[in-house]
Amino acid sequence: MSVKITNLNVQYNTGDEVVKAVNGINLSIEKGKTLGLVGETGAGKTTTALSILRLIPNPPGKIISGSIELEGKNIFDYSESDMEKIRGDQVSMIFQDPMTSLNPVMTVGDQIAEVIAIHQNLKKTNALERAKEMLEMVGISGERACEYPHQFSGGMKQRVVIAMALACNPKLLIADEPTTALDVTIQAQVLNLMQTLKEKYNTSMLMITHDLGIVAEVCDEVSIMYAGKIVEHGNLVDIFDNTSHPYTKGLFASLPNINKRSEPLQPIPGLMPDPANLPSGCSFHPRCKYAKDICKTKVPVITQISDTHNVSCLAYEKETIDEFGGIN
């Protein structure tokens, strides 16, 4: 399934203030490809994902403008009943917190079977058998289908949620930090499972993560998100070998170097800005070591570096590039 997001703006109105969560982003995912969406907590990644499923809680959230096209059709033209048919079937989401994603008074087997029965018109007994197969696929014995969420560890709950999302072989899988609660062994198994599904069914995937290692392993393209905007986009070679935006450079500098273990880490100074009170000009300028006075007032536009690589930074714009003298 192809996805195209154009000029998406999402805000949360809390009464006293307006939280600008997503600010005019443009994203696209080709059929059968995986896009990695990377950024710190509070960047707007989950809000973007919820927008694709039209699950932004209203109130307080509201999609102010933009379009989201699935296979060329704008989801904002669909009725709610149409969206209910799409969710869980054509588009599935692995939510970040399994503790709040599962119904505590239903067995895990019944919860997975419910999704299958609704979208694939199977009888309850057949759906339950399929649910057991899905549990086996994510490393949980099918015999545990009759147990309740409180009888599973946090990592096993996450695997149940993953099984539920994969149950109907969706055309688009949105994975919001799918391996956060898992140990490294199970993490590798889950990523391998998702990769196998993608190749077998030509599934498109949006992988939301903080882990650049996961991005390198499973993604075809990467979008770096900061303060509700996409600040850099490219393929793996563009992002990992030709890193351009100061924020992306900061993310890589924050990683430990296995060959230089004695060297201290170089974290990005400061914190993600308050989305209810974003800085003027470039949102990253208060934390950027390359920032000039113009960064405080001028909002950067998207500059195309190559056919596959673009960046939103004044250091690459024709009108202002001379002031920076290069930042590489």
Side-chain angles (χ1 to χ4, degrees):
M1 174 179 283
S2 62
V3 183
K4 184 178 181 182
I5 300 175
T6 306
N7 193 32
L8 181 66
N9 287 272
V10 184
Q11 297 180 357
Y12 294 92
N13 191 333
T14 62
D16 297 332
E17 57 188 13
V18 176
V19 176
K20 298 178 180 179
V22 176
N23 303 303
I25 69 166
N26 297 288
L27 285 178
S28 62
I29 307 173
E30 294 180 24
K31 186 175 182 179
K33 300 293 185 180
T34 299
L35 172 67
L37 190 57
V38 181
E40 293 172 272
T41 298
K45 306 185 299 298
T46 298
T47 296
T48 301
L50 292 175
S51 298
I52 296 174
L53 287 169
R54 256 177 51 184
L55 287 176
I56 298 294
N58 184 9
K62 186 177 182 181
I63 296 174
I64 303 300
S65 62
S67 66
I68 300 174
E69 296 179 5
L70 302 179
E71 298 285 24
K73 297 180 180 179
N74 191 347
I75 65 166
F76 300 134
D77 294 334
Y78 289 139
S79 66
E80 181 57 28
S81 61
D82 290 334
M83 287 304 300
E84 288 176 358
K85 295 175 183 176
I86 290 173
R87 298 184 194 117
D89 183 26
Q90 296 183 46
V91 183
S92 282
M93 183 167 177
I94 302 170
F95 292 92
Q96 185 173 1
D97 185 5
M99 309 296 180
T100 58
S101 301
L102 295 171
N103 188 331
V105 298
M106 286 179 68
T107 65
V108 297
D110 282 344
Q111 293 187 60
I112 299 172
E114 183 179 46
V115 177
I116 298 168
I118 290 173
H119 293 296
Q120 297 188 350
N121 295 319
L122 293 180
K123 293 181 180 179
K124 185 176 180 180
T125 53
N126 294 335
L128 192 55
E129 286 303 312
R130 170 66 176 159
K132 291 178 180 179
E133 292 175 10
M134 292 307 303
L135 287 174
E136 295 281 357
M137 284 181 67
V138 295
I140 298 175
S141 171
E143 295 177 359
R144 301 197 64 182
C146 60
E147 296 182 10
Y148 292 85
H150 73 270
Q151 295 174 278
F152 293 81
S153 67
M156 294 184 82
K157 286 190 184 78
Q158 185 68 295
R159 280 184 274 168
V160 171
V161 171
I162 290 169
M164 193 182 304
L166 301 181
C168 293
N169 301 325
K171 296 178 181 178
L172 171 65
L173 180 63
I174 302 171
D176 189 0
E177 301 278 357
T179 58
T180 298
L182 307 180
D183 60 63
V184 290
T185 304
I186 301 301
Q187 174 176 304
Q189 293 174 3
V190 168
L191 290 175
N192 184 58
L193 172 66
M194 294 168 67
Q195 195 74 356
T196 301
L197 174 88
K198 172 192 168 185
E199 294 169 0
K200 184 176 181 180
Y201 297 104
N202 201 28
T203 305
S204 306
M205 192 184 307
L206 176 63
M207 174 68 74
I208 298 173
T209 182
H210 295 101
D211 192 333
L212 290 165
I214 290 177
V215 170
E217 186 175 344
V218 304
C219 296
D220 300 297
E221 296 184 350
V222 190
S223 288
I224 307 297
M225 195 168 191
Y226 185 82
K229 294 183 178 181
I230 303 300
V231 296
E232 187 168 4
H233 173 85
N235 58 34
L236 293 183
V237 173
D238 296 328
I239 301 299
F240 283 78
D241 296 339
N242 301 309
T243 315
S244 298
H245 197 280
Y247 178 59
T248 315
K249 291 176 182 289
L251 292 178
F252 281 105
S254 301
L255 298 174
N257 189 331
I258 195 170
N259 297 317
K260 300 177 181 179
R261 300 187 181 188
S262 60
E263 288 191 2
L265 298 179
Q266 301 175 21
I268 303 171
L271 299 171
M272 180 75 68
D274 180 359
N277 186 26
L278 292 173
S280 59
C282 173
S283 297
F284 186 61
H285 86 258
R287 306 173 68 187
C288 181
K289 66 179 181 180
Y290 305 103
K292 306 293 184 181
D293 286 341
I294 193 171
C295 298
K296 300 176 183 178
T297 56
K298 184 175 174 61
V299 178
V301 297
I302 295 174
T303 301
Q304 202 74 29
I305 297 177
S306 70
D307 292 341
T308 58
H309 193 188
N310 61 62
V311 63
S312 179
C313 177
L314 296 175
Y316 296 89
E317 294 183 24
K318 290 182 180 180
E319 295 80 3
T320 52
I321 192 171
D322 293 337
E323 295 188 36
F324 293 84
I327 64 173
N328 293 319

